[in-house]
């Protein structure tokens, strides 16, 4: 682990056009539920392309306490094997660090018939209930109680049922992950209507099928699962490892970093199909991107224009990209209207961007951003965003401030970088590789080793 505390900052000297080539890492939001799903498997499972992140280290700690041996190496290979099926409790000190720890609930209940998992609690990006997870598990036959901040779930054996996972703000991503995992070992057939269709869930479903699960409808909003008696990796899979898909949010971050600095950057290791909504909004903003197999090349645009977009469940624009686009809109010509239907309260980055000279007004669950018009950084320093000390409040809000710092005149110090450490694999190094001037006060690059 890099051992950083919340008080440390990235110091960014803005105004450099990024240039070069950079590769994206494996997807955090696929790696986490897939690692949690390893609780379902008999024998060893090997994963490849696991990103080097604090969230991965946190989940590793959760799984180790649940009797799973986890061994990782620097190249993103992680071997997981349950060596003790007795523990069933995921405690609050770990779960509160990362909501995705809640993804152990479905696998634990299905495989060990009993699970005690802390409720994840509050979150800075808005209200994040888990009612859909719990209602679905109850429909699968689990007895669920809430006791002293913990979900206590019990089921001699789950049984298939018809579930609907669509909440008031669309389907739940981790809810779908929890119920999909639970259904794989349930008796009979489960139909999950209103399932989330995010590529990370498609990856989870393919992984479960590779272990012997019987899931149909993958990638659609209706998943059909026929329960099986046990899941295990065959010899081939145990040896080769299941490869995690590339991180589409990291890809979007790097593409927007290139665009916000007027740079020319090739982002490699991407799946363009996963980035459809990002592609559309960048096009509307006038950002020139050439999309090729596994690669996107940004560069050559004459200006970034204002745009209108709303964050929606997949295949809509990911809410995790919304703060990054707000940063881009700050330097665009004209006005942008950016909404967030998934997390309507996710605007904590706005006040910090305003401290850098951005002109942003809240309008319900949206913001109106009047850009400086200096997307290519051709404007005089007076017209640009101004470097300032700012503090990130969550993962993507902090990334948005880093992007703004890259475009700003002068020096920006971004506090709260422990948030970045949770979800970006060496972002500072990757930006510096493209010519950015990003200094990490600790001298340690962001990202942590998956502890074994
Ligand atoms: C996941 C992602 C997160 C992303 C989010 C939305 C992981 C580890 N995290 O979070 O990065 O920002 O999807 O794409 O994959 N809801 C309910 N009841 C529930 C659950 C959710 O009403 O039981 C609501 C939430 O308040 C929110 C919406 O549904 O408005 C989507 O939340 P959800 O998809 O569950 O987010 P996460 O899975 O926690």
């Amino acid at each position: 682990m890099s051992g950083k505390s919340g008080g440390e900052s990235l110091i960014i000297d803005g105004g450099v056009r990024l240039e070069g080539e950079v590769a994206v890492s494996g997807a955090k939001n696929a790696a986490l539920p897939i690692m949690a799903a390893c609780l379902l498997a008999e024998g060893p499972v090997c994963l490849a392309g696991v990103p080097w992140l604090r969230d991965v280290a946190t989940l590793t700690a959760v799984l180790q306490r649940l009797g799973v041996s986890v061994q990782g190496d620097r190249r993103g290979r992680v071997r997981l094997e349950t060596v003790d099926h007795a523990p069933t409790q995921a405690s609050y000190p770990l779960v509160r660090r990362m909501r995705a720890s809640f993804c152990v609930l479905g696998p634990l209940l299905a495989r060990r018939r009993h699970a005690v998992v802390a409720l994840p609690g509050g979150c800075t990006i808005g209200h994040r209930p888990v009612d859909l997870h719990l209602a679905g598990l109850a429909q699968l036959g689990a007895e669920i109680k809430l006791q002293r901040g913990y979900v206590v779930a019990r089921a001699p054996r789950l049984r298939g049922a018809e579930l609907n996972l669509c909440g008031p703000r669309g389907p739940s991503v981790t809810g779908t992950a929890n119920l999909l995992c639970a259904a794989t070992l349930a008796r009979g057939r489960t139909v999950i209507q209103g399932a989330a269709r995010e590529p990370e869930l498609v990856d989870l479903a393919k992984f479960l099928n590779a272990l012997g699960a019987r899931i149909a409808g993958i990638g659609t909003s209706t998943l059909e699962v026929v329960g099986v008696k046990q899941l295990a990796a065959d010899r081939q899979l145990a040896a080769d490892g299941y490869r995690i898909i590339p991180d589409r949010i990291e890809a979007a971050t790097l593409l927007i970093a290139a665009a916000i600095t007027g740079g020319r950057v090739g982002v490699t290791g991407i799946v363009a199909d996963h980035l459809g909504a990002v592609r559309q909004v960048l096009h509307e903003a006038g950002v020139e991107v050439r999309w090729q197999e596994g690669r996107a090349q940004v560069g050559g645009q004459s200006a970034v224009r204002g745009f209108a977009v709303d964050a929606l469940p997949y295949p809509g624009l990911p809410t995790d990209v919304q703060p990054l686009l707000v940063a881009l809109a700050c330097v665009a010509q004209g006005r942008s209207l950016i909404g967030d239907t998934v997390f309507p309260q996710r605007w904590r980055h706005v006040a910090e961007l305003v401290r850098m000279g951005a002109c942003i007004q809240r309008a319900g669950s949206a913001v109106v951003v009047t850009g400086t018009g200096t997307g290519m950084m051709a404007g005089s320093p007076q017209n640009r965003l101004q470097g300032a000390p700012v503090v990130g409040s969550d993962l993507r809000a902090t990334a948005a401030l880093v992007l703004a710092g890259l475009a700003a005149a002068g020096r920006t110090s971004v506090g709260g970088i422990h948030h970045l450490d949770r979800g970006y694999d060496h972002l500072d190094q990757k930006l510096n590789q493209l010519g950015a001037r990003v200094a990490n006060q600790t001298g340690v690059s962001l990202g942590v080793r998956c502890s074994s």
Side-chain angles (χ1 to χ4, degrees):
M1 288 238 205
S2 56
K4 292 187 296 297
S5 74
E8 290 149 357
S9 310
L10 285 186
I11 308 296
I12 304 169
D13 286 313
V16 180
R17 289 172 197 266
L18 301 188
E19 269 186 37
E21 192 98 354
V22 65
V24 301
S25 301
K28 167 177 94 70
N29 287 351
L32 297 173
I34 287 176
M35 286 175 68
C38 290
L39 284 163
L40 291 163
E42 309 303 319
V45 179
C46 190
L47 305 177
V50 177
W52 195 358
L53 307 171
R54 186 173 296 274
D55 275 6
V56 168
T58 301
L59 186 61
T60 296
V62 172
L63 292 173
Q64 285 171 331
R65 279 166 183 70
L66 289 170
V68 182
S69 140
V70 187
Q71 290 165 332
D73 71 18
R74 275 182 174 274
R75 290 167 301 129
R77 283 183 75 82
V78 179
R79 183 184 181 280
L80 302 100
E81 181 171 11
T82 299
V83 288
D84 179 4
H85 284 284
T88 52
Q89 174 153 340
S91 67
Y92 186 56
L94 282 171
V95 175
R96 69 187 285 271
R97 277 200 229 157
M98 182 188 70
R99 290 183 59 84
S101 308
F102 202 67
C103 283
V104 300
L105 177 62
L108 265 186
L109 182 62
R111 177 62 186 77
R112 302 188 187 178
R113 326 239 148 153
H114 179 227
V116 182
V117 180
L119 280 163
C123 176
T124 60
I125 70 172
H127 185 47
R128 295 180 83 178
V130 289
D131 55 314
L132 296 169
H133 305 230
L134 302 186
L137 290 174
Q139 279 176 279
L140 291 176
E143 183 201 322
I144 310 247
K145 288 188 194 147
L146 299 184
Q147 284 176 348
R148 299 170 57 83
Y150 281 77
V151 175
V152 181
R154 198 179 294 276
R157 178 150 186 215
L158 295 170
R159 53 174 198 283
E162 300 245 340
L163 316 174
N164 194 321
L165 255 183
C166 201
R169 313 226 155 264
S172 166
V173 176
T174 49
T176 305
N178 254 330
L179 292 164
L180 187 60
C181 286
T184 57
L185 293 183
R187 193 181 308 125
R189 177 172 162 272
T190 298
V191 178
I192 307 177
Q193 307 277 5
R197 293 188 282 157
E198 270 65 6
E200 295 76 16
L201 274 171
V202 169
D203 208 27
L204 170 67
K206 287 183 177 167
F207 169 70
L208 291 167
N209 276 356
L211 294 180
R214 291 177 57 197
I215 303 167
I218 296 175
T220 75
S221 54
T222 304
L223 294 170
E224 199 178 319
V225 188
V226 178
V228 296
K229 286 233 165 71
Q230 75 165 41
L231 297 176
D234 62 21
R235 204 173 285 181
Q236 187 80 37
L237 185 66
D240 296 349
Y242 182 86
R243 179 157 289 277
I244 305 290
I245 56 167
D247 196 311
R248 64 196 167 104
I249 311 298
E250 186 197 9
T253 308
L254 294 167
L255 292 171
I256 296 170
I260 208 169
T261 65
R264 284 181 184 276
V265 172
V267 181
T268 63
I270 63 166
V271 178
D273 280 355
H274 295 169
L275 287 157
V278 171
R279 182 175 181 157
Q280 208 174 321
V281 71
L282 289 180
H283 179 71
E284 191 187 330
V287 177
E288 284 187 17
V289 188
R290 259 191 306 130
W291 298 87
Q292 299 152 329
E293 183 68 35
R295 184 175 188 281
Q297 172 77 38
V298 183
Q301 68 269 19
S302 51
V304 177
R305 298 188 296 262
F307 52 89
V309 73
D310 192 15
L312 292 164
Y314 190 84
L317 182 87
T319 168
D320 289 352
V321 176
Q322 173 267 104
L324 315 174
L325 286 174
V326 173
L328 182 66
C330 290
V331 303
Q333 284 176 352
R335 286 192 175 183
S336 298
L337 178 63
I338 304 174
D340 196 326
T341 295
V342 180
F343 291 116
Q345 306 302 326
R346 186 176 198 167
W347 302 109
R348 294 209 30 202
H349 42 295
V350 165
E352 297 300 292
L353 289 168
V354 168
R355 297 192 58 252
M356 297 177 73
C359 177
I360 310 176
Q361 265 108 36
R362 275 286 298 274
S365 62
V367 291
V368 179
V369 185
T370 307
T372 57
T374 53
M376 287 290 288
M377 298 195 303
S380 65
Q382 289 76 18
N383 293 338
R384 302 224 324 250
L385 288 178
Q386 302 296 312
V390 287
V391 180
S393 52
D394 65 72
L395 172 56
R396 308 303 172 186
T398 312
L401 297 175
V402 170
L403 296 182
L406 293 175
R411 179 165 283 192
T412 299
S413 98
V414 180
I417 59 169
H418 59 291
H419 294 298
L420 282 184
D421 208 15
R422 285 190 40 208
Y424 286 97
D425 191 343
H426 298 94
L427 182 64
D428 53 345
Q429 271 183 15
K430 288 185 180 181
L431 293 173
N432 286 339
Q433 179 189 326
L434 299 173
R437 289 175 300 195
V438 180
N440 186 333
Q441 271 191 337
T442 59
V444 181
S445 186
L446 296 176
V448 289
R449 177 112 198 246
C450 310
S451 52
S452 56

